Amino acid sequence: MTSDEDHRRTVQILVTADEWWLIGEVLFRSLGVDERSPEGHLLFRCRGEDRIWSTGHGPHYQASAGATGPVPVGLAPGEEFAVSINSRFFLGRGPYEVTLRVEIGGDYPTQTMIGDGFEVTLPQPPQHPADWVLSPRTLPGIDVTVERIALERALMHVAETPIGVERSGRVAAFVQMRDRELRLEAPWGADYPATVASIPVAATAIEFHNIPKPHPLDGPTWKTAPILILAEQLAFLAYRSTDETVKLRLPFEPGSGLGLTCSELDAVFTPIDRFAGNRRRLNDILCDLLDRDDLEPDEDGDFVFETRDKQSFWVRLATDLKPLAVQVFGTVGTEVPPTREVLEELNSINTAANYARAVWVDGTVHVVVDLLERDLDRSELDNAMRIVSETVDRYAPFLTSFFAQPRLPGFE
């Protein structure tokens, strides 16, 4: 019978000054925001002299950088090794050469950094999952190869704030492939025109990956899904490469990530939610209204609530509407055909429900209140929720019963 102590061992990893610089100057920018989770630490992987340092998932992107170094002491020949390294080791001044002594197994494993005349010992941090892999190559999308210097310079122009605009934060820009050009656009609102840069891309520099055919770009108009990222961060990573070209994997569908690949590093950018501030404001108003500390939206980003009769209705930020709106909506009928009688009933609901409106969509009847997001206040939202809740309770019990198409046995 073996004990946990029988599987305990120590591995020593020599970290060069170049690796320290790589970690501190490049990878630390993509660390997570809390060291209590694996994302707040570094993942070290190696096989022989080849090693990869990774971080993820930071606020905006993840990154992996390759390096070479002596085979760690304590590994079997050809052994693949992976361990999360405490990020606190690299918070101090550097770079300089150090050795990491990493305990594997045991009840309370530790990690020790050994420098010139000193040692620092920390507990083993939360470990990354064994199957955690960062690779832009796994993303569905279109690979676009561009000159590195052209990309870097175009991004830096896009990242400049116009004169007269308050420099309150980093510049977000859309990245998109359009008509065989890589298009970079930083929007500034109605008072200031957008900054737009484009880089021509040869047809031979475009590849498709994990996209069903026919490709959506096979027609006369080329357009990938725009992805919003921080322009200076992508420019920074391009600047850190020494390659003549870099490869970007542009997303096929909205919400997917953007990948960067070069010989020194890989990176995956998470799309910025341009409406994050609006969502927080809606959350705050709802919490104040309901005397709650926080609310958790569903997988669609909607907040779900119950009426007095235990039926559901929702509040959501309608980002597809212009101007931006908050929608309060509920369902009062399903499998309802668009007959004359149904349309008459919808008109009746619209008349009785104050400023709510009843709509028929693909056999489902919804009752909706649209509120202008920029003018939203607590009392207005409270009133809209009350109206929708009462309308759902009033009409849902009979609308489906009276107007739904009957189902025949065996034809569900």
Side-chain angles (χ1 to χ4, degrees), residues 91-152:
L91 292 175
R93 293 183 177 272
Y96 45 82
E97 186 175 289
V98 296
T99 297
L100 294 175
R101 186 172 63 227
V102 179
E103 294 181 354
I104 307 298
D107 294 331
Y108 302 102
T110 62
Q111 299 179 348
T112 301
M113 184 176 74
I114 305 169
D116 187 9
F118 73 93
E119 294 185 4
V120 177
T121 298
L122 295 168
Q124 175 180 278
Q127 296 293 290
H128 290 76
D131 58 352
W132 189 90
V133 176
L134 165 69
S135 177
R137 299 167 185 81
T138 63
L139 299 173
I142 297 96
D143 276 354
V144 178
T145 301
V146 295
E147 292 186 5
R148 179 187 61 80
I149 293 179
L151 176 64
E152 175 197 335

Short mmCIF file of all heavy atoms in Angstrom, two decimals, residues 91-152:
data_model
loop_
_atom_site.label_atom_id
_atom_site.label_comp_id
_atom_site.label_asym_id
_atom_site.label_seq_id
_atom_site.Cartn_x
_atom_site.Cartn_y
_atom_site.Cartn_z
N LEU A 91 6.75 39.30 -9.20
CA LEU A 91 6.24 40.65 -8.96
C LEU A 91 7.36 41.63 -8.64
O LEU A 91 7.19 42.83 -8.81
CB LEU A 91 5.24 40.63 -7.80
CG LEU A 91 3.92 39.89 -8.06
CD1 LEU A 91 3.08 39.86 -6.78
CD2 LEU A 91 3.13 40.56 -9.17
N GLY A 92 8.50 41.12 -8.18
CA GLY A 92 9.58 42.01 -7.77
C GLY A 92 10.43 42.48 -8.93
O GLY A 92 10.13 42.25 -10.10
N ARG A 93 11.52 43.15 -8.59
CA ARG A 93 12.41 43.68 -9.61
C ARG A 93 13.14 42.54 -10.31
O ARG A 93 13.51 41.56 -9.73
CB ARG A 93 13.41 44.66 -8.99
CG ARG A 93 12.76 45.93 -8.47
CD ARG A 93 13.82 46.89 -7.94
NE ARG A 93 13.21 48.13 -7.50
CZ ARG A 93 12.99 49.17 -8.28
NH1 ARG A 93 13.33 49.10 -9.56
NH2 ARG A 93 12.45 50.27 -7.83
N GLY A 94 13.40 42.70 -11.55
CA GLY A 94 14.11 41.74 -12.37
C GLY A 94 14.46 42.44 -13.68
O GLY A 94 14.34 43.66 -13.79
N PRO A 95 14.88 41.69 -14.67
CA PRO A 95 14.99 40.24 -14.66
C PRO A 95 16.36 39.76 -14.20
O PRO A 95 17.36 40.45 -14.37
CB PRO A 95 14.75 39.89 -16.13
CG PRO A 95 15.31 41.07 -16.88
CD PRO A 95 15.06 42.27 -16.01
N TYR A 96 16.38 38.57 -13.62
CA TYR A 96 17.63 37.90 -13.33
C TYR A 96 17.37 36.40 -13.27
O TYR A 96 16.23 35.95 -13.24
CB TYR A 96 18.28 38.40 -12.03
CG TYR A 96 17.35 38.55 -10.86
CD1 TYR A 96 17.01 37.46 -10.07
CD2 TYR A 96 16.83 39.81 -10.53
CE1 TYR A 96 16.17 37.61 -8.99
CE2 TYR A 96 15.98 39.96 -9.45
CZ TYR A 96 15.66 38.85 -8.68
OH TYR A 96 14.82 39.00 -7.61
N GLU A 97 18.43 35.63 -13.26
CA GLU A 97 18.30 34.18 -13.31
C GLU A 97 17.98 33.62 -11.92
O GLU A 97 18.59 34.02 -10.92
CB GLU A 97 19.61 33.57 -13.81
CG GLU A 97 19.56 32.06 -14.04
CD GLU A 97 20.84 31.55 -14.65
OE1 GLU A 97 21.07 31.85 -15.85
OE2 GLU A 97 21.62 30.89 -13.93
N VAL A 98 17.00 32.71 -11.87
CA VAL A 98 16.62 32.09 -10.61
C VAL A 98 16.35 30.61 -10.85
O VAL A 98 16.20 30.16 -12.00
CB VAL A 98 15.36 32.73 -9.99
CG1 VAL A 98 15.61 34.19 -9.61
CG2 VAL A 98 14.17 32.62 -10.95
N THR A 99 16.26 29.86 -9.77
CA THR A 99 15.85 28.46 -9.83
C THR A 99 14.57 28.30 -9.03
O THR A 99 14.45 28.82 -7.92
CB THR A 99 16.93 27.53 -9.25
OG1 THR A 99 18.11 27.64 -10.06
CG2 THR A 99 16.46 26.09 -9.23
N LEU A 100 13.61 27.60 -9.61
CA LEU A 100 12.36 27.30 -8.92
C LEU A 100 12.40 25.85 -8.44
O LEU A 100 12.60 24.92 -9.24
CB LEU A 100 11.16 27.50 -9.84
CG LEU A 100 10.88 28.93 -10.30
CD1 LEU A 100 9.72 28.93 -11.31
CD2 LEU A 100 10.57 29.83 -9.13
N ARG A 101 12.23 25.66 -7.14
CA ARG A 101 12.15 24.32 -6.57
C ARG A 101 10.68 24.04 -6.27
O ARG A 101 10.08 24.65 -5.39
CB ARG A 101 12.99 24.22 -5.30
CG ARG A 101 13.07 22.80 -4.73
CD ARG A 101 14.07 22.70 -3.60
NE ARG A 101 13.66 23.55 -2.47
CZ ARG A 101 14.49 24.38 -1.83
NH1 ARG A 101 15.75 24.49 -2.21
NH2 ARG A 101 14.06 25.08 -0.81
N VAL A 102 10.11 23.12 -7.03
CA VAL A 102 8.67 22.86 -7.00
C VAL A 102 8.42 21.49 -6.39
O VAL A 102 8.93 20.48 -6.88
CB VAL A 102 8.07 22.93 -8.41
CG1 VAL A 102 6.58 22.63 -8.38
CG2 VAL A 102 8.34 24.30 -9.04
N GLU A 103 7.64 21.45 -5.32
CA GLU A 103 7.25 20.18 -4.71
C GLU A 103 6.00 19.65 -5.41
O GLU A 103 5.05 20.39 -5.67
CB GLU A 103 6.97 20.35 -3.22
CG GLU A 103 8.19 20.73 -2.40
CD GLU A 103 7.86 20.88 -0.92
OE1 GLU A 103 6.67 20.78 -0.57
OE2 GLU A 103 8.79 21.11 -0.13
N ILE A 104 6.03 18.37 -5.72
CA ILE A 104 4.90 17.70 -6.36
C ILE A 104 4.36 16.65 -5.40
O ILE A 104 5.12 15.79 -4.92
CB ILE A 104 5.31 17.04 -7.69
CG1 ILE A 104 6.00 18.05 -8.60
CG2 ILE A 104 4.09 16.43 -8.37
CD1 ILE A 104 5.15 19.22 -9.00
N GLY A 105 3.08 16.69 -5.09
CA GLY A 105 2.49 15.74 -4.15
C GLY A 105 2.65 16.20 -2.73
O GLY A 105 3.13 17.30 -2.44
N GLY A 106 2.22 15.38 -1.80
CA GLY A 106 2.26 15.76 -0.40
C GLY A 106 1.03 16.53 0.00
O GLY A 106 0.23 16.98 -0.83
N ASP A 107 0.88 16.71 1.30
CA ASP A 107 -0.31 17.40 1.81
C ASP A 107 -0.26 18.91 1.60
O ASP A 107 -1.28 19.54 1.30
CB ASP A 107 -0.48 17.10 3.31
CG ASP A 107 -0.79 15.63 3.56
OD1 ASP A 107 -1.40 15.00 2.67
OD2 ASP A 107 -0.43 15.13 4.63
N TYR A 108 0.90 19.50 1.78
CA TYR A 108 1.03 20.96 1.66
C TYR A 108 2.25 21.30 0.80
O TYR A 108 3.27 21.78 1.31
CB TYR A 108 1.16 21.60 3.05
CG TYR A 108 0.00 21.30 3.96
CD1 TYR A 108 0.12 20.33 4.95
CD2 TYR A 108 -1.23 21.95 3.81
CE1 TYR A 108 -0.94 20.03 5.80
CE2 TYR A 108 -2.29 21.65 4.64
CZ TYR A 108 -2.15 20.69 5.63
OH TYR A 108 -3.20 20.40 6.45
N PRO A 109 2.17 21.05 -0.50
CA PRO A 109 3.32 21.32 -1.37
C PRO A 109 3.64 22.82 -1.43
O PRO A 109 2.73 23.66 -1.36
CB PRO A 109 2.88 20.78 -2.73
CG PRO A 109 1.39 20.80 -2.68
CD PRO A 109 1.01 20.53 -1.26
N THR A 110 4.91 23.11 -1.57
CA THR A 110 5.37 24.50 -1.65
C THR A 110 6.20 24.68 -2.91
O THR A 110 6.61 23.72 -3.56
CB THR A 110 6.20 24.89 -0.42
OG1 THR A 110 7.37 24.06 -0.37
CG2 THR A 110 5.40 24.75 0.86
N GLN A 111 6.44 25.95 -3.20
CA GLN A 111 7.32 26.32 -4.30
C GLN A 111 8.31 27.36 -3.76
O GLN A 111 7.91 28.27 -3.03
CB GLN A 111 6.52 26.89 -5.48
CG GLN A 111 5.52 25.90 -6.06
CD GLN A 111 4.71 26.49 -7.22
OE1 GLN A 111 4.70 27.69 -7.46
NE2 GLN A 111 4.01 25.60 -7.93
N THR A 112 9.58 27.21 -4.14
CA THR A 112 10.62 28.09 -3.63
C THR A 112 11.42 28.67 -4.79
O THR A 112 11.85 27.93 -5.68
CB THR A 112 11.57 27.34 -2.68
OG1 THR A 112 10.81 26.82 -1.59
CG2 THR A 112 12.65 28.27 -2.15
N MET A 113 11.58 29.97 -4.78
CA MET A 113 12.45 30.63 -5.75
C MET A 113 13.80 30.87 -5.08
O MET A 113 13.89 31.49 -4.02
CB MET A 113 11.86 31.97 -6.21
CG MET A 113 12.68 32.66 -7.30
SD MET A 113 11.92 34.18 -7.92
CE MET A 113 12.21 35.29 -6.54
N ILE A 114 14.87 30.39 -5.71
CA ILE A 114 16.22 30.50 -5.18
C ILE A 114 17.00 31.48 -6.05
O ILE A 114 17.23 31.22 -7.24
CB ILE A 114 16.93 29.13 -5.15
CG1 ILE A 114 16.07 28.11 -4.39
CG2 ILE A 114 18.32 29.25 -4.56
CD1 ILE A 114 16.55 26.69 -4.52
N GLY A 115 17.37 32.62 -5.47
CA GLY A 115 18.13 33.61 -6.19
C GLY A 115 19.55 33.72 -5.66
O GLY A 115 20.03 32.84 -4.94
N ASP A 116 20.21 34.79 -6.00
CA ASP A 116 21.60 34.99 -5.58
C ASP A 116 21.62 35.42 -4.11
O ASP A 116 21.48 36.60 -3.79
CB ASP A 116 22.25 36.05 -6.47
CG ASP A 116 23.74 36.19 -6.20
OD1 ASP A 116 24.29 35.35 -5.47
OD2 ASP A 116 24.35 37.14 -6.73
N GLY A 117 21.78 34.45 -3.21
CA GLY A 117 21.88 34.75 -1.79
C GLY A 117 20.56 34.85 -1.06
O GLY A 117 20.53 35.29 0.09
N PHE A 118 19.44 34.44 -1.68
CA PHE A 118 18.14 34.52 -0.99
C PHE A 118 17.23 33.42 -1.51
O PHE A 118 17.45 32.83 -2.57
CB PHE A 118 17.49 35.89 -1.20
CG PHE A 118 16.96 36.08 -2.60
CD1 PHE A 118 15.63 35.79 -2.92
CD2 PHE A 118 17.79 36.56 -3.62
CE1 PHE A 118 15.15 35.95 -4.21
CE2 PHE A 118 17.31 36.73 -4.91
CZ PHE A 118 16.00 36.43 -5.20
N GLU A 119 16.16 33.15 -0.73
CA GLU A 119 15.11 32.22 -1.13
C GLU A 119 13.76 32.81 -0.76
O GLU A 119 13.63 33.49 0.25
CB GLU A 119 15.27 30.86 -0.44
CG GLU A 119 16.51 30.09 -0.84
CD GLU A 119 16.55 28.70 -0.21
OE1 GLU A 119 15.55 28.34 0.47
OE2 GLU A 119 17.55 28.00 -0.41
N VAL A 120 12.76 32.53 -1.59
CA VAL A 120 11.38 32.93 -1.31
C VAL A 120 10.52 31.67 -1.44
O VAL A 120 10.54 31.01 -2.48
CB VAL A 120 10.88 34.01 -2.28
CG1 VAL A 120 9.42 34.33 -2.01
CG2 VAL A 120 11.73 35.26 -2.20
N THR A 121 9.76 31.33 -0.39
CA THR A 121 8.92 30.13 -0.41
C THR A 121 7.45 30.54 -0.32
O THR A 121 7.07 31.36 0.52
CB THR A 121 9.28 29.19 0.75
OG1 THR A 121 10.64 28.77 0.60
CG2 THR A 121 8.38 27.96 0.74
N LEU A 122 6.64 29.95 -1.19
CA LEU A 122 5.20 30.23 -1.24
C LEU A 122 4.45 28.91 -1.37
O LEU A 122 5.01 27.91 -1.85
CB LEU A 122 4.87 31.12 -2.45
CG LEU A 122 5.43 32.54 -2.44
CD1 LEU A 122 5.26 33.18 -3.82
CD2 LEU A 122 4.75 33.38 -1.38
N PRO A 123 3.19 28.88 -0.94
CA PRO A 123 2.41 27.65 -1.13
C PRO A 123 2.12 27.43 -2.61
O PRO A 123 2.09 28.36 -3.41
CB PRO A 123 1.11 27.93 -0.36
CG PRO A 123 1.02 29.42 -0.30
CD PRO A 123 2.43 29.92 -0.24
N GLN A 124 1.93 26.18 -2.96
CA GLN A 124 1.56 25.87 -4.34
C GLN A 124 0.23 26.56 -4.67
O GLN A 124 -0.72 26.46 -3.91
CB GLN A 124 1.42 24.37 -4.52
CG GLN A 124 0.92 23.96 -5.90
CD GLN A 124 0.80 22.46 -6.04
OE1 GLN A 124 1.77 21.79 -6.30
NE2 GLN A 124 -0.41 21.94 -5.85
N PRO A 125 0.15 27.26 -5.79
CA PRO A 125 -1.10 27.96 -6.12
C PRO A 125 -2.14 26.99 -6.67
O PRO A 125 -1.83 25.83 -6.96
CB PRO A 125 -0.64 28.93 -7.21
CG PRO A 125 0.47 28.21 -7.91
CD PRO A 125 1.19 27.47 -6.81
N PRO A 126 -3.38 27.44 -6.82
CA PRO A 126 -4.39 26.60 -7.47
C PRO A 126 -3.89 26.17 -8.85
O PRO A 126 -3.35 26.99 -9.60
CB PRO A 126 -5.61 27.52 -7.57
CG PRO A 126 -5.41 28.54 -6.50
CD PRO A 126 -3.93 28.74 -6.39
N GLN A 127 -4.06 24.91 -9.17
CA GLN A 127 -3.51 24.36 -10.40
C GLN A 127 -4.50 24.49 -11.57
O GLN A 127 -5.71 24.34 -11.41
CB GLN A 127 -3.14 22.90 -10.20
CG GLN A 127 -2.03 22.69 -9.18
CD GLN A 127 -0.70 23.26 -9.66
OE1 GLN A 127 -0.08 22.74 -10.59
NE2 GLN A 127 -0.26 24.35 -9.03
N HIS A 128 -3.95 24.77 -12.75
CA HIS A 128 -4.76 24.76 -13.96
C HIS A 128 -5.27 23.36 -14.23
O HIS A 128 -4.60 22.38 -13.90
CB HIS A 128 -3.93 25.24 -15.16
CG HIS A 128 -3.59 26.70 -15.13
ND1 HIS A 128 -2.62 27.23 -14.31
CD2 HIS A 128 -4.10 27.75 -15.84
CE1 HIS A 128 -2.54 28.54 -14.51
NE2 HIS A 128 -3.42 28.87 -15.42
N PRO A 129 -6.45 23.22 -14.83
CA PRO A 129 -6.95 21.88 -15.18
C PRO A 129 -5.95 21.17 -16.09
O PRO A 129 -5.24 21.79 -16.89
CB PRO A 129 -8.26 22.17 -15.92
CG PRO A 129 -8.68 23.53 -15.45
CD PRO A 129 -7.41 24.28 -15.18
N ALA A 130 -5.90 19.85 -15.98
CA ALA A 130 -4.93 19.07 -16.75
C ALA A 130 -5.12 19.23 -18.25
O ALA A 130 -4.16 19.13 -19.02
CB ALA A 130 -5.03 17.59 -16.37
N ASP A 131 -6.37 19.49 -18.69
CA ASP A 131 -6.63 19.61 -20.12
C ASP A 131 -6.65 21.06 -20.61
O ASP A 131 -7.09 21.34 -21.72
CB ASP A 131 -7.96 18.94 -20.48
CG ASP A 131 -9.14 19.54 -19.71
OD1 ASP A 131 -8.91 20.36 -18.79
OD2 ASP A 131 -10.30 19.19 -20.02
N TRP A 132 -6.15 21.99 -19.76
CA TRP A 132 -6.18 23.40 -20.15
C TRP A 132 -5.13 23.65 -21.23
O TRP A 132 -3.94 23.38 -21.04
CB TRP A 132 -5.90 24.31 -18.96
CG TRP A 132 -6.13 25.76 -19.26
CD1 TRP A 132 -7.28 26.45 -19.11
CD2 TRP A 132 -5.17 26.70 -19.76
NE1 TRP A 132 -7.13 27.76 -19.48
CE2 TRP A 132 -5.83 27.94 -19.90
CE3 TRP A 132 -3.83 26.62 -20.13
CZ2 TRP A 132 -5.20 29.09 -20.37
CZ3 TRP A 132 -3.20 27.76 -20.61
CH2 TRP A 132 -3.88 28.97 -20.72
N VAL A 133 -5.58 24.13 -22.38
CA VAL A 133 -4.68 24.42 -23.50
C VAL A 133 -5.11 25.74 -24.12
O VAL A 133 -6.29 25.97 -24.36
CB VAL A 133 -4.72 23.30 -24.56
CG1 VAL A 133 -3.85 23.68 -25.75
CG2 VAL A 133 -4.24 21.98 -23.98
N LEU A 134 -4.13 26.58 -24.38
CA LEU A 134 -4.38 27.83 -25.09
C LEU A 134 -3.86 27.66 -26.51
O LEU A 134 -2.67 27.42 -26.71
CB LEU A 134 -3.66 28.99 -24.41
CG LEU A 134 -3.54 30.27 -25.25
CD1 LEU A 134 -4.90 30.91 -25.44
CD2 LEU A 134 -2.57 31.25 -24.62
N SER A 135 -4.72 27.78 -27.50
CA SER A 135 -4.27 27.67 -28.89
C SER A 135 -5.24 28.38 -29.81
O SER A 135 -6.40 27.99 -29.91
CB SER A 135 -4.13 26.21 -29.32
OG SER A 135 -3.77 26.14 -30.68
N PRO A 136 -4.77 29.42 -30.50
CA PRO A 136 -5.63 30.06 -31.50
C PRO A 136 -6.04 29.09 -32.61
O PRO A 136 -7.04 29.32 -33.29
CB PRO A 136 -4.75 31.18 -32.06
CG PRO A 136 -3.68 31.40 -31.04
CD PRO A 136 -3.47 30.07 -30.39
N ARG A 137 -5.29 28.02 -32.76
CA ARG A 137 -5.55 27.08 -33.85
C ARG A 137 -6.83 26.29 -33.64
O ARG A 137 -7.30 25.62 -34.56
CB ARG A 137 -4.36 26.14 -34.00
CG ARG A 137 -3.06 26.86 -34.34
CD ARG A 137 -1.85 25.96 -34.18
NE ARG A 137 -0.60 26.66 -34.39
CZ ARG A 137 0.01 27.43 -33.48
NH1 ARG A 137 -0.54 27.57 -32.27
NH2 ARG A 137 1.14 28.04 -33.75
N THR A 138 -7.36 26.30 -32.43
CA THR A 138 -8.60 25.57 -32.16
C THR A 138 -9.84 26.42 -32.45
O THR A 138 -10.96 25.91 -32.41
CB THR A 138 -8.66 25.11 -30.70
OG1 THR A 138 -8.66 26.26 -29.83
CG2 THR A 138 -7.45 24.24 -30.37
N LEU A 139 -9.66 27.71 -32.72
CA LEU A 139 -10.80 28.59 -32.96
C LEU A 139 -11.32 28.42 -34.38
O LEU A 139 -10.54 28.31 -35.33
CB LEU A 139 -10.39 30.06 -32.76
CG LEU A 139 -9.89 30.48 -31.38
CD1 LEU A 139 -9.38 31.92 -31.44
CD2 LEU A 139 -10.99 30.35 -30.36
N PRO A 140 -12.64 28.44 -34.57
CA PRO A 140 -13.17 28.49 -35.94
C PRO A 140 -12.98 29.90 -36.49
O PRO A 140 -13.11 30.88 -35.78
CB PRO A 140 -14.65 28.15 -35.75
CG PRO A 140 -14.96 28.60 -34.35
CD PRO A 140 -13.70 28.39 -33.56
N GLY A 141 -12.62 29.98 -37.76
CA GLY A 141 -12.46 31.31 -38.33
C GLY A 141 -11.63 31.32 -39.58
O GLY A 141 -11.39 30.28 -40.22
N ILE A 142 -11.17 32.49 -39.93
CA ILE A 142 -10.41 32.73 -41.15
C ILE A 142 -9.02 33.20 -40.77
O ILE A 142 -8.87 34.18 -40.03
CB ILE A 142 -11.09 33.78 -42.05
CG1 ILE A 142 -12.45 33.29 -42.51
CG2 ILE A 142 -10.21 34.15 -43.25
CD1 ILE A 142 -13.60 33.77 -41.69
N ASP A 143 -7.99 32.50 -41.22
CA ASP A 143 -6.61 32.92 -40.97
C ASP A 143 -6.20 33.96 -42.00
O ASP A 143 -6.34 33.76 -43.21
CB ASP A 143 -5.66 31.72 -41.06
CG ASP A 143 -5.56 30.95 -39.77
OD1 ASP A 143 -6.15 31.42 -38.77
OD2 ASP A 143 -4.92 29.89 -39.74
N VAL A 144 -5.67 35.07 -41.50
CA VAL A 144 -5.21 36.16 -42.36
C VAL A 144 -3.76 36.46 -41.99
O VAL A 144 -3.46 36.78 -40.84
CB VAL A 144 -6.07 37.43 -42.16
CG1 VAL A 144 -5.54 38.57 -43.03
CG2 VAL A 144 -7.53 37.14 -42.47
N THR A 145 -2.84 36.32 -42.96
CA THR A 145 -1.43 36.60 -42.73
C THR A 145 -1.10 37.99 -43.25
O THR A 145 -1.37 38.30 -44.41
CB THR A 145 -0.55 35.55 -43.43
OG1 THR A 145 -0.88 34.25 -42.93
CG2 THR A 145 0.93 35.82 -43.18
N VAL A 146 -0.55 38.82 -42.36
CA VAL A 146 -0.24 40.21 -42.72
C VAL A 146 1.18 40.54 -42.27
O VAL A 146 1.76 39.85 -41.42
CB VAL A 146 -1.23 41.21 -42.07
CG1 VAL A 146 -2.62 41.00 -42.59
CG2 VAL A 146 -1.20 41.07 -40.54
N GLU A 147 1.74 41.59 -42.86
CA GLU A 147 3.06 42.04 -42.43
C GLU A 147 2.98 42.58 -41.01
O GLU A 147 2.09 43.37 -40.68
CB GLU A 147 3.57 43.13 -43.38
CG GLU A 147 3.90 42.64 -44.77
CD GLU A 147 4.54 43.73 -45.61
OE1 GLU A 147 4.81 44.82 -45.06
OE2 GLU A 147 4.78 43.47 -46.80
N ARG A 148 3.90 42.12 -40.19
CA ARG A 148 3.85 42.47 -38.77
C ARG A 148 3.98 43.97 -38.55
O ARG A 148 3.23 44.57 -37.77
CB ARG A 148 4.96 41.74 -38.01
CG ARG A 148 5.00 42.08 -36.53
CD ARG A 148 6.19 41.47 -35.86
NE ARG A 148 7.44 41.97 -36.40
CZ ARG A 148 7.98 43.15 -36.07
NH1 ARG A 148 7.38 43.95 -35.21
NH2 ARG A 148 9.12 43.53 -36.60
N ILE A 149 4.93 44.61 -39.21
CA ILE A 149 5.14 46.05 -39.00
C ILE A 149 3.93 46.85 -39.46
O ILE A 149 3.52 47.81 -38.81
CB ILE A 149 6.41 46.51 -39.71
CG1 ILE A 149 7.65 45.87 -39.06
CG2 ILE A 149 6.53 48.03 -39.68
CD1 ILE A 149 8.96 46.24 -39.71
N ALA A 150 3.31 46.44 -40.59
CA ALA A 150 2.11 47.14 -41.08
C ALA A 150 0.99 47.03 -40.06
O ALA A 150 0.28 48.01 -39.78
CB ALA A 150 1.69 46.56 -42.42
N LEU A 151 0.81 45.84 -39.48
CA LEU A 151 -0.24 45.66 -38.48
C LEU A 151 0.04 46.51 -37.25
O LEU A 151 -0.85 47.20 -36.73
CB LEU A 151 -0.33 44.19 -38.09
CG LEU A 151 -1.32 43.85 -36.97
CD1 LEU A 151 -2.75 44.16 -37.40
CD2 LEU A 151 -1.19 42.38 -36.57
N GLU A 152 1.28 46.48 -36.77
CA GLU A 152 1.64 47.25 -35.58
C GLU A 152 1.39 48.74 -35.78
O GLU A 152 0.78 49.40 -34.92
CB GLU A 152 3.11 47.00 -35.26
CG GLU A 152 3.65 47.83 -34.10
CD GLU A 152 5.16 47.86 -34.09
OE1 GLU A 152 5.79 46.91 -34.62
OE2 GLU A 152 5.72 48.83 -33.55
#
